[in-house]
Amino acid sequence: MLSLSPSLLPSLLAALLYAAAAIYQGIRLGQGGKADKRLLYLLGGLAVGAHGCALLMQLLTPLGLSLDFFTSASLIAAAVIALILVACLRMPLENLLVLLFPLGTATILIAQFVPAGTVPLIHEEPGILAHILLSILAYGMFTIAVFQSMLLLLQNYQLKHKHPSGLIRNFPPLQTMESLLFGFLWAGWALLSLSLLSGWLFLDNLFAQHLVHKTLLACLAWVVFSVLLWGRNRLGWRGHKAIRWTLAGFCLLMLAYFGSKLVREYILHI
């Protein structure tokens, strides 16, 4: 039975718009052409707007901020898509949207229809909210980097085997794709650094029992990304090595945030 919550209508509208944009772009790329940017941005912008309305209704409660596992995933997806839509005005990133629009559809529907686990409410103290915002932006930027690395891997494979598909033929040059990847990694690393710093400043104890795994994994991810960026700057790391390090760091971050939330909300119920 469908939920009758106030966020139902904007959630369904956002999912429909994301799906329409993904199908349209996928068909155009499959035909070897390019999607009309104005139509793509219109569909994407309207979808993000509806997504944001749904999230406001799901997150804000009279007792505080309710940031459960699936709503967190939905929030990160909305932030990632919004960042890419804005970045597309200056950089050739439209091809990332063909992967991100389906992600938006899936996360908003899951957040709407899957029951939340045990969710501790967050009181809206400015320092804590700043830490949460920085964490979400950092995770979002690394999510973009992972999608970019997947497209780069596909592009590199098809170019080596000399059978580029319609999608790959519309990609920017390999060097541009790689430069964009490291741009996202630098931005994500800076945001993750600020997130860890704000956590140290505003949280009572970063190594409390319910935070220790998250903190340690986030610090390990920071080290992995630091080594990767050092290797790029000093040793010229690129290609498969850069992609492997990107995926390793992202997996640690995913375990830090979503792994700990999954265990706490659905297994331990704390």
Side-chain angles (χ1 to χ4, degrees), residues 148-160:
Q148 179 74 1
S149 70
M150 291 167 63
L151 290 178
L152 183 62
L153 189 64
L154 178 62
Q155 183 182 24
N156 192 44
Y157 175 83
Q158 293 207 354
L159 289 175
K160 281 185 176 179

Side-chain angles (χ1 to χ4, degrees), residues 195-216:
S195 169
L196 291 171
L197 178 61
S198 64
W200 179 72
L201 290 173
F202 298 117
L203 295 177
D204 292 334
N205 183 5
L206 269 177
F207 293 93
Q209 185 176 1
H210 67 290
L211 290 175
V212 62
H213 295 94
K214 180 178 177 180
T215 302
L216 289 175

Side-chain angles (χ1 to χ4, degrees), residues 12-28 35-36 39-44 46-47 97-98 101-102 104-105:
L12 293 177
L13 178 60
L16 181 63
L17 288 166
Y18 281 137
I23 292 169
Y24 166 66
Q25 188 182 19
I27 290 173
R28 292 295 299 135
D36 181 88
L39 178 57
L40 197 64
Y41 295 165
L42 176 62
L43 290 171
L46 290 173
L97 293 171
V98 77
F101 284 147
T105 302

Side-chain angles (χ1 to χ4, degrees), residues 1-152:
M1 183 175 179
L2 292 180
S3 169
L4 296 178
S5 69
S7 62
L8 175 62
L9 183 58
S11 293
L12 293 177
L13 178 60
L16 181 63
L17 288 166
Y18 281 137
I23 292 169
Y24 166 66
Q25 188 182 19
I27 290 173
R28 292 295 299 135
L29 290 173
Q31 293 172 343
K34 290 186 178 181
D36 181 88
K37 288 186 178 181
R38 288 174 296 182
L39 178 57
L40 197 64
Y41 295 165
L42 176 62
L43 290 171
L46 290 173
V48 169
H51 197 160
C53 289
L55 281 168
L56 281 175
M57 297 175 189
Q58 293 164 349
L59 290 169
L60 300 180
T61 73
L63 299 177
L65 191 66
S66 177
L67 202 60
D68 66 83
F69 179 84
F70 294 115
T71 306
S72 299
S74 180
L75 176 59
I76 289 171
V80 167
I81 295 169
L83 285 170
I84 287 296
L85 286 171
V86 172
C88 281
L89 299 175
R90 300 294 300 271
M91 294 181 285
L93 300 174
E94 290 84 5
N95 291 315
L96 281 173
L97 293 171
V98 77
L99 300 177
L100 293 173
F101 284 147
L103 178 68
T105 302
T107 55
I108 195 167
L109 289 177
I110 291 171
Q112 178 64 38
F113 295 116
V114 176
T118 304
V119 187
L121 294 175
I122 301 168
H123 298 292
E124 299 178 19
E125 298 175 10
I128 294 176
L129 289 180
H131 170 68
I132 292 171
L133 177 61
L134 286 167
S135 299
I136 289 170
L137 289 174
Y139 194 92
M141 196 60 67
F142 283 124
T143 301
I144 296 172
V146 166
F147 279 107
Q148 179 74 1
S149 70
M150 291 167 63
L151 290 178
L152 183 62

